Structures are given as structure tokens and as C-alpha cells.
Amino acid sequence: MKLGTLFLPFCLLPSLYHALAIQPNRRPRSQVWVQTFATPKGNKLDLLELLNRDTRVTHIYLAAVHLNDPPGNISLNDAPPEDPRYDYIWPQIKALQRSGVKVLILLGGAAQGSYQRLSGSDEQFEAYYLPLLDMIRRYSIDGIDLDIEEGVDISVPLRLLRRLDADLGSEFILTMAPVASAMFPKPWAVGLSGFDYNDLDKLAVSSTRPSGKLVDWYNCQFYNNWGDASDLKYYNAIAMVGKWDPSRIVMGILDNPGNGGSGFVSHKRLTEVIRQLRTNYPTFGGVIGWEYFNAGSADGFSEPWQWVRGISKALYDPYNPRRINLSTPPFQELNSSSPWPSNLSTLVGEGAGYFNAVKALNMTNGDLEQSEKLLFH
Ligand SMILES: *[C@@H]1O[C@H](CO)[C@@H](O)[C@H](O)[C@H]1NC(C)=O
Ligand SMILES: *[C@@H]1O[C@H](CO)[C@@H](O)[C@H](O)[C@H]1NC(C)=O
Ligand SMILES: *[C@@H]1O[C@H](CO)[C@@H](O)[C@H](O)[C@H]1NC(C)=O
Ligand SMILES: *[C@@H]1O[C@H](CO)[C@@H](O)[C@H](O)[C@H]1NC(C)=O
Ligand SMILES: *[C@@H]1O[C@H](CO)[C@@H](O)[C@H](O)[C@H]1NC(C)=O
């Protein structure tokens, strides 16, 4: 994107807003991951509130689906999807879908193993893949979010994306959930998946999907030290330095400090950041919150749908354009990070801030143990 184009939104904003409002698929997405199917008080979670309270939610992700042994042993969190505990959820999901909300599943996440099982020979792949395909069809799921937090070869996501596209068609939504820093250009990209997302996106092409890509968009985790949703600099780095199309980059955020290690940002600050992102990027991809059941309780909201409704306001309602902020992380200083990418990845995974980890490795000539002593005392 050329710098000059970023200044256009100031004058075009009202007409752009109108144009975006009448093209639903060009609007930023207002999304949540749902993992805990209970309220903080232990009652059943009511997903219909997302419909009845005018939250303008666009996509809901059921997290997390795991592929266990033996093949065909699929679970949604700790139980098979057909477990009676989920019986009340499926009709709610049908109702959401009838109202135009898309319902996806998240595959993988912090619990490892699902993607290892989808590696290997074609026979092994088929054994684990076919029951997943069957589950997606049985529950009329609209899409899948690949959250790969285990080191796998690039061929693993590629084979899976190609098969899902071939079997379910280009209407079936394919997304991925990398950490934000994995979307940085080389040599700064650092992530958990074991392959480079820039490489993957070049290979994962499609002649029938929007932008010619198999992956419709990326729900990037801007928390746990892999990014920072309180400031624009990580999003700028991905969109401007990484040259990713902003409509394909969704900002993933913690909606409650208890839902992650670090990086919670208040609803008030998020509203400001989202409006700045809308100013900078008229095709801004949207937001996703981890996770729904207790969203916003640290912001003083008594119900999670209030957090979602507030995010949608920031995403969709008219606002006074904010100052464009094109700051990015100090990439030049980070060039020294490339000699030790795996130790850097380990330190960030252990909770060190990205830039502090770069500095510590720099000071210790790449030594992991000495860096840990510096960073964690
Ligand atoms: C399915 O996988 C879960 C999780 O690993 C395990 O606890 C359970 O025993 C497995 N079920 C069967 C029938 O093997
Ligand atoms: C712009 O970004 C810089 C650097 O990240 C930050 O210090 C500053 O507060 C930001 N400005 C606004 C208006 O958010
Ligand atoms: C940093 O690395 C990038 C990519 O290798 C290179 O293009 C750039 O010139 C480097 N910058 C400095 C200040 O060394
Ligand atoms: C890393 O060390 C080199 C010298 O070895 C220095 O030029 C560079 O600025 C350092 N980078 C950081 C982030 O400390
Ligand atoms: C990472 O740190 C360990 C020591 O903790 C060191 O043995 C190893 O060589 C380092 N890796 C690289 C690529 O320098």
C-alpha cells in the first residue's frame, strides 16, 4: 500500500462508510471464539443473546475441536460434540445461522496433537480427516479456523486447506489463527506453527475464492506478547511492512485479562484503536475476542454480549476520523534477532516481551539459558 492512499479516508469516509455498509462482505468482522459453554456462575451459556441483544456479531467460533486417538475420536473441549452437554447448543447455532451469523469451529489451539495426527502418509491423513469432514457436514458448520500451536511442516496446513476446499467448496470459510508476530515479514516472523505464513499464503492459492487465496482471512493473536492491541504498531507492521491485505487481517484480542497470560486491553482503549484502524485501513478485517463467556467483566460489563455490542459499535458506527498513526515496531533494531529464531520463539512463548527477548539474546549471543536469567531473574 502506498503511503498516499492512507490519507484518502479523511475525505472519502462518509461515502466509504456507506459503500461498506451496503456490501456486507466488505465490512469488518465482529467475532468471538466460544470455548467455555457456561456462564461465570456455572449456568448454561445462552448464545441466543448474541442475536437478541443487537450485538451485530458476524462470526462465532466453537473452540476447540481436537482430533484424538484412535481416528474418529473427535472432541469439542473435553467431550465428543454429540455429548448431551452440548444438546442445547446445536439448536441455538441453527438459529444463529438462520439469522445470517456464520458458525465455525476452531481446530487445535493450546492442546497439541491434532495437527501431528494430520501429518504423515495419505492413509493416516484420511483416517483422521474423514471423520472431521463428517462432523462438519453433520452439524452444517460454516467454516474452520486452523489454530496451529505445534511445530508442523508447511505441507500439513496446505494439504488440509486443499482438501477442505475440494470437499466443501469455496463458500466454506477457511481461516487460520496465527500469533500476530508470525505475520511479520522475514526475517522477523516468529510464531508457534513451525512454518512461515508468508510462504504458506503464497502456496495456498485458489481460483474460486476471494483474493485468489485458500485462506479467507487470518485471526491473529495480538496478546500473550505476540502482539499488542493497545497500539497500532503491530497491525501497521503486518499491513504496511508485511504487505498483507488488511481485509484479511483480523485483530485477535483478549476480552478478559483472565483469558490469557498478558496483553489485555480495556474496552475503552480498544474502541480508540479500532477507530484509528478504520481510518488507516478502510478495508480493516475486524476483531475477534478470546473468549466469549466472561467477556468484558473487567470493563464493568455484567453480560458478555455487552462487550461484543460495544466492539461492533466501534467497528460500524460513524465516528470522527482519528489521527492516522503509522508507527511500527523498530524493525531495524531487530535485524539482530534473526540469528536465533528458535531461542527467540521459546523466550516469547515463556512470556517474555518480544523486544526484550530480542535484546536479551543479543546481549547473551543467543544463549537461551542466560537470556532466561536476564528476563525472569
Ligand atoms: C478419545 O480421546 C480422549 C482424549 O485423548 C480419551 O480420553 C478417550 O479415552 C478416547 N476415547 C477412546 C474411545 O479411545
Ligand atoms: C502512535 O504510536 C506511538 C508509538 O507506538 C504511540 O506512542 C502514540 O501514542 C500513538 N498515537 C496515538 C494517537 O495513538
Ligand atoms: C534489516 O534486514 C532487512 C531484511 O534482511 C534488510 O532489508 C534491511 O536493510 C536491514 N536493515 C538494516 C538496518 O540492517
Ligand atoms: C544487537 O547487538 C548489535 C551489536 O552486536 C547492535 O548493533 C544492535 O543494536 C543490538 N540490537 C538490539 C535490539 O539491542
Ligand atoms: C539457544 O541457546 C542454547 C543455550 O541455552 C544454545 O546451546 C543454542 O546454541 C542456542 N541456539 C542458537 C541457534 O544459537
Side-chain angles (χ1 to χ4, degrees), residues 9-38:
F10 278 127
C11 47
L12 288 184
L13 204 91
S15 57
L16 258 174
Y17 181 79
H18 185 70
L20 296 182
I22 56 170
Q23 293 179 37
N25 52 2
R26 287 292 304 277
R27 302 181 79 199
R29 306 164 190 95
S30 181
Q31 322 184 106
V32 278
W33 282 298
V34 181
Q35 180 181 48
T36 307
F37 292 88

Side-chain angles (χ1 to χ4, degrees), residues 339-340 342-343 365-369:
W340 314 288
S342 67
N343 282 353
N365 202 22
D367 191 286
L368 182 64
E369 271 175 49

Side-chain angles (χ1 to χ4, degrees), residues 7 14 30 36 50-51 85 121 132 142 168 171 210 238 255 258 264 280 286 293 328 361:
F7 292 89
S30 181
T36 307
L50 285 162
L51 269 189
R85 78 183 70 177
S121 69
L132 173 67
D142 296 305
L168 295 162
E171 293 296 303
I238 293 169
D255 53 36
F264 170 73
N280 287 14
F293 85 114
T328 56
L361 285 170

Side-chain angles (χ1 to χ4, degrees), residues 252-268:
I253 54 198
L254 291 179
D255 53 36
N256 185 305
N259 296 346
S262 63
F264 170 73
V265 179
S266 73
H267 200 279
K268 188 165 178 288

Side-chain angles (χ1 to χ4, degrees), residues 191-212:
L192 299 166
S193 313
F195 55 85
D196 186 278
Y197 280 83
N198 300 281
D199 294 342
L200 177 73
D201 202 61
K202 281 197 189 79
L203 296 169
V205 292
S206 153
S207 57
T208 51
R209 284 175 178 265
S211 19

Side-chain angles (χ1 to χ4, degrees), residues 32-333:
V32 278
W33 282 298
V34 181
Q35 180 181 48
T36 307
F37 292 88
T39 69
K41 287 187 179 146
N43 299 317
K44 280 181 181 169
L45 192 70
D46 185 3
L47 291 177
L48 294 178
E49 299 270 54
L50 285 162
L51 269 189
N52 300 336
R53 303 289 187 163
D54 191 27
T55 63
R56 290 182 275 176
V57 72
T58 59
H59 300 77
I60 296 173
Y61 297 71
L62 309 178
V65 169
H66 304 288
L67 308 182
N68 310 297
D69 285 317
N73 180 0
I74 296 180
S75 53
L76 175 57
N77 298 314
D78 303 329
E82 60 274 14
D83 189 272
R85 78 183 70 177
Y86 298 125
D87 282 355
Y88 81 99
I89 287 289
W90 302 114
Q92 293 197 348
I93 280 169
K94 281 272 174 299
L96 284 156
Q97 288 174 318
R98 273 197 303 272
S99 298
V101 178
K102 298 293 183 192
V103 179
L104 297 82
I105 54 172
L106 174 148
L107 178 68
Q112 310 211 324
S114 297
Y115 293 96
Q116 295 299 341
R117 296 189 177 97
L118 290 168
S119 318
S121 69
D122 286 349
E123 295 79 61
Q124 172 169 344
F125 175 81
E126 293 299 316
Y128 289 97
Y129 169 76
L130 289 175
L132 173 67
L133 179 63
D134 182 57
M135 182 221 153
I136 289 169
R137 286 182 167 146
R138 194 162 61 242
Y139 293 102
S140 305
I141 301 293
D142 296 305
I144 192 168
D145 191 32
L146 307 184
D147 183 359
I148 309 181
E149 302 191 15
E150 52 189 313
V152 297
D153 189 77
I154 196 167
S155 60
V156 174
L158 211 48
R159 174 163 60 178
L160 181 56
L161 290 165
R162 285 174 178 157
R163 265 309 284 279
L164 288 162
D165 180 57
D167 289 336
L168 295 162
S170 53
E171 293 296 303
F172 186 73
I173 303 167
L174 299 173
T175 66
M176 297 186 80
V179 296
S181 57
M183 307 307 274
F184 287 177
K186 291 177 181 178
W188 302 291
V190 186
L192 299 166
S193 313
F195 55 85
D196 186 278
Y197 280 83
N198 300 281
D199 294 342
L200 177 73
D201 202 61
K202 281 197 189 79
L203 296 169
V205 292
S206 153
S207 57
T208 51
R209 284 175 178 265
S211 19
K213 298 290 190 180
L214 277 174
V215 180
D216 291 296
W217 64 87
Y218 293 88
N219 296 313
C220 306
Q221 304 176 35
F222 281 68
Y223 47 86
N224 288 351
N225 281 313
W226 300 105
D228 178 0
S230 73
D231 195 288
L232 276 79
K233 65 185 176 201
Y234 277 82
Y235 199 96
N236 288 342
I238 293 169
M240 289 168 45
V241 187
K243 306 231 175 0
W244 290 92
D245 172 356
S247 73
R248 299 178 67 220
I249 301 295
V250 167
M251 186 169 70
I253 54 198
L254 291 179
D255 53 36
N256 185 305
N259 296 346
S262 63
F264 170 73
V265 179
S266 73
H267 200 279
K268 188 165 178 288
R269 179 63 192 157
L270 281 176
T271 297
E272 177 68 15
V273 170
I274 289 167
R275 287 177 173 168
Q276 287 195 25
L277 286 170
R278 283 175 62 190
T279 306
N280 287 14
Y281 310 103
T283 60
F284 172 50
V287 168
I288 185 165
W290 177 266
E291 57 161 312
Y292 179 63
F293 85 114
N294 62 357
S297 65
D299 293 292
F301 294 126
S302 55
E303 299 289 340
W305 54 263
Q306 294 172 318
W307 184 90
V308 179
R309 192 170 64 176
I311 292 294
S312 292
K313 275 184 197 233
L315 285 169
Y316 303 131
D317 288 356
Y319 67 103
N320 291 325
R322 302 299 157 134
R323 214 151 46 79
I324 283 177
N325 191 333
L326 299 179
S327 59
T328 56
F331 278 107
Q332 268 65 15
E333 287 174 33

